[in-house]
Amino acid sequence: DIQMTQSPSSLPASLGERVTISCRASQGISNNLNWYQQKPDGTIKPLIYYTSNLQSGVPSRFSGSGSGTDYSLTISSLEPEDFAMYYCQQDASFPPTFGGGTKLELK
Amino acid sequence: EVQLVESGGGLVQPGRSLKLSCAASGFTFSNYYMAWVRQAPKKGLEWVATISTSGSRTYYPDSVKGRFTISRDNAKSSLYLQMNSLKSEDTATYYCARQGHRYWFAYWGQGTLVTVSS
């Protein structure tokens, strides 16, 4: 199975700040990388698919990039509702696997 | 609006069975692959099962293969997960998800909690 490693596991940040969350795959995944946001109540919101494609309704302050084994999610200017858990997930190879998550918290 | 509503979770003893349901609305259910994804308490996400549009093909990770069975009823726009021989490590919130391209989970339900304990 492909292992997905996210960093950092915890990211303190301030409103209006630009932040980047990293995700590394144990082998190349050819841009088959997706991102999800999870709120404290458990609600999961899909954000980005295939590295850089925003799901309908996702604000443009979210963006994704990367290639090969290294990918990232960037939020250009943090809003209050962005403080949550973020997970990356690969679907290049069976079985699909998720990263361990990054907790974006208010500094 | 796409809606996925899970039900059927609860407390169950190790070795027993439980069946989860997911009621879908707001889209043509029969056109989409569907999946279950779980999250153990304070842990990350784990894909559990996927079923094709007709139900003829199913996919599982090794951790649940042979114990869990995913199924669907397109006439009722419903997805199911039959869980047998439950173990304590199956304790988790189980989410129903609509798949998009490949294993992109494009829509999620609110989840239903399954606790396996004596």
Side-chain angles (χ1 to χ4, degrees):
Chain A
D1 297 3
I2 294 178
Q3 307 304 312
M4 305 300 293
T5 303
Q6 287 184 234
S7 60
S9 57
S10 177
L11 179 56
S14 303
L15 289 171
E17 188 174 341
R18 177 186 179 92
V19 297
T20 296
I21 296 169
S22 297
C23 181
R24 173 167 288 178
S26 59
Q27 64 189 71
I29 56 172
S30 304
N31 294 107
N32 291 292
L33 190 284
N34 310 312
W35 290 96
Y36 305 88
Q37 177 194 67
Q38 185 176 34
K39 291 295 184 69
D41 68 355
T43 301
I44 296 174
K45 178 181 180 181
L47 296 175
I48 290 173
Y49 61 97
Y50 199 64
T51 296
S52 59
N53 296 277
L54 260 61
Q55 173 80 326
S56 176
V58 173
S60 59
R61 63 180 179 273
F62 289 89
S63 63
S65 63
S67 64
T69 60
D70 294 319
Y71 299 83
S72 62
L73 171 70
T74 297
I75 309 172
S76 60
S77 180
L78 283 170
E79 298 285 339
E81 61 268 30
D82 299 337
F83 293 93
M85 284 291 291
Y86 291 86
Y87 293 94
C88 64
Q89 175 236 337
Q90 68 80 22
D91 61 354
S93 173
F94 185 88
T97 49
F98 292 85
T102 294
K103 185 176 184 179
L104 180 56
E105 49 193 3
L106 190 58
K107 187 185 291 183
Chain B
E1 178 192 5
V2 172
Q3 287 201 348
L4 300 169
V5 180
E6 303 92 338
S7 61
L11 176 63
V12 60
Q13 293 179 328
R16 304 297 292 264
S17 299
L18 196 66
K19 186 173 185 177
L20 306 182
S21 299
C22 171
S25 61
F27 64 101
T28 304
F29 182 74
S30 58
N31 286 353
Y32 292 90
Y33 277 48
M34 297 294 295
W36 290 95
V37 179
R38 70 183 179 184
Q39 183 175 38
K42 306 295 185 185
K43 299 293 185 181
L45 299 167
E46 179 187 19
W47 167 73
V48 170
T50 286
I51 189 167
S52 64
T53 52
S54 66
S56 61
R57 288 167 291 179
T58 57
Y59 308 87
Y60 308 93
D62 289 343
S63 58
V64 307
K65 191 180 295 182
R67 297 190 301 122
F68 288 12
T69 301
I70 188 173
S71 62
R72 66 191 296 161
D73 185 336
N74 286 340
K76 294 183 178 179
S77 295
S78 293
L79 178 72
Y80 307 100
L81 184 68
Q82 176 69 45
M83 303 183 293
N84 298 332
S85 303
L86 281 162
K87 308 174 182 180
S88 59
E89 51 263 43
D90 296 318
T91 294
T93 296
Y94 285 75
Y95 294 91
C96 167
R98 192 186 95 176
Q99 284 189 216
H101 180 60
R102 301 175 75 96
Y103 283 89
W104 159 238
F105 304 112
Y107 293 91
W108 297 62
Q110 287 295 109
T112 186
L113 177 61
V114 173
T115 303
V116 183
S117 175
S118 55

